[in-house]
Amino acid sequence: MTSRPRALSKSPTPSQVPPSLNEEAYRLIEEMIVTLELAPGSVVSEAMLSERIGIGHTPIREALQRLAREHLVQILPRRGVVVTAIDVGHQLQILETRRELDRLIARSAATRATLAERETMAAIAQNMETAVKSGDLVAFLKWDNEMNRQSAHSARNIVAAAAVSALHSASRRFWFYHHHDQVNATLRLHVALARAMASGKSDKAAEASDRLIDDLFDFAHRTLITRT
């Protein structure tokens, strides 16, 4: 695994605020699930995760409850916690919902971001571009997560941000699980979205968001073809 993203700028961003233990436990476990370090179908426990990431049981329990709401784990009383299977039908429903929410957040972030926040988003775009060029998909996914956090913060819409945050992790895991060699076009559409939001132009950001979702829909449908 690569190191965590470095600080982007002197301006505060959501990821630069020291996270609570609950948030830190969530981020670490979510990353392990998205990058398949915890594979679909694997059984985990609070004790195992506590030992693995060095955080106590209570924050891990809260993180697992949140991940269960995001359909990444299933909590089975007296049996443990199971990482959920990856399902293309579920992914298509996620993308259908994400299209509307992502467009709203992209447009709002471009319009409402401060100058410092636009500079931070531009730095995120540059780091994403670097990860693309180096072929480091794990680093790219981390920067993609930073883009999602920053855009949700800049959009100043906590309702939309809360709704879409439950969808991004499952969507990112689906992509990471099914990607093969043909990934650069999709990655560059993410970079284009970050740069569009950094530009401050709301229509440009909305169009970039729609192009990315179109591509992710095509990708999901291609996984159906390869399975038949």
Side-chain angles (χ1 to χ4, degrees):
M1 298 285 291
T2 57
S3 60
R4 291 190 169 197
R6 60 179 174 80
L8 298 173
S9 68
K10 294 182 180 180
S11 59
T13 70
S15 61
Q16 291 174 327
V17 176
S20 67
L21 281 178
N22 286 3
E23 181 66 20
E24 183 70 2
Y26 168 81
R27 289 192 192 186
L28 290 172
I29 299 169
E30 187 259 6
E31 180 182 300
M32 288 191 289
I33 293 173
V34 167
T35 60
L36 309 179
E37 186 177 341
L38 295 177
S42 60
V43 179
V44 299
S45 67
E46 290 178 15
M48 180 270 279
L49 292 170
S50 178
E51 181 177 354
R52 194 158 174 177
I53 66 177
I55 294 178
H57 285 224
T58 299
I60 287 174
R61 187 176 304 119
E62 293 295 324
L64 290 173
Q65 292 288 345
R66 180 174 169 185
L67 290 163
R69 293 193 294 271
E70 296 177 1
H71 308 288
L72 289 175
V73 302
Q74 183 179 11
I75 300 174
L76 304 174
R78 296 180 297 278
R79 292 176 56 191
V81 179
V82 179
V83 179
T84 57
I86 295 175
D87 177 74
V88 66
H90 187 228
Q91 171 69 356
L92 291 171
Q93 292 178 22
I94 286 173
L95 292 173
E96 185 176 49
T97 308
R98 272 189 58 187
R99 180 184 294 280
E100 307 306 322
L101 291 173
D102 281 9
R103 185 193 302 118
L104 171 62
I105 288 175
R107 184 184 294 276
S108 299
T111 302
R112 298 170 181 169
T114 64
L115 176 59
E117 288 168 354
R118 291 201 300 273
E119 290 174 349
T120 295
M121 186 62 78
I124 290 172
Q126 183 58 52
N127 281 286
M128 292 171 78
E129 179 75 28
T130 299
V132 173
K133 290 179 179 178
S134 66
D136 190 341
L137 294 181
V138 172
F140 175 85
L141 285 173
K142 289 182 179 181
W143 287 114
D144 178 45
N145 207 18
E146 290 297 308
M147 179 183 72
N148 293 336
R149 293 177 192 277
Q150 183 61 54
S151 60
H153 174 74
S154 297
R156 268 76 181 180
N157 186 327
I158 60 173
V159 175
V164 80
S165 68
L167 306 176
H168 280 149
S169 295
S171 189
R172 287 162 58 237
R173 182 177 69 141
F174 179 91
W175 182 87
F176 191 84
Y177 181 80
H178 284 288
H179 83 270
H180 299 291
D181 296 325
Q182 306 300 318
V183 297
N184 273 357
T186 300
L187 301 188
R188 293 188 183 283
L189 285 171
H190 283 81
V191 176
L193 172 58
R195 287 184 171 143
M197 288 188 286
S199 75
K201 298 177 181 178
S202 60
D203 288 345
K204 182 178 178 181
E207 290 168 4
S209 178
D210 282 343
R211 284 196 300 272
L212 174 58
I213 295 297
D214 286 342
D215 181 81
L216 294 175
F217 261 114
D218 289 343
F219 178 84
H221 283 295
R222 289 198 301 273
T223 67
L224 281 174
I225 294 172
T226 59
R227 291 169 54 189
T228 56

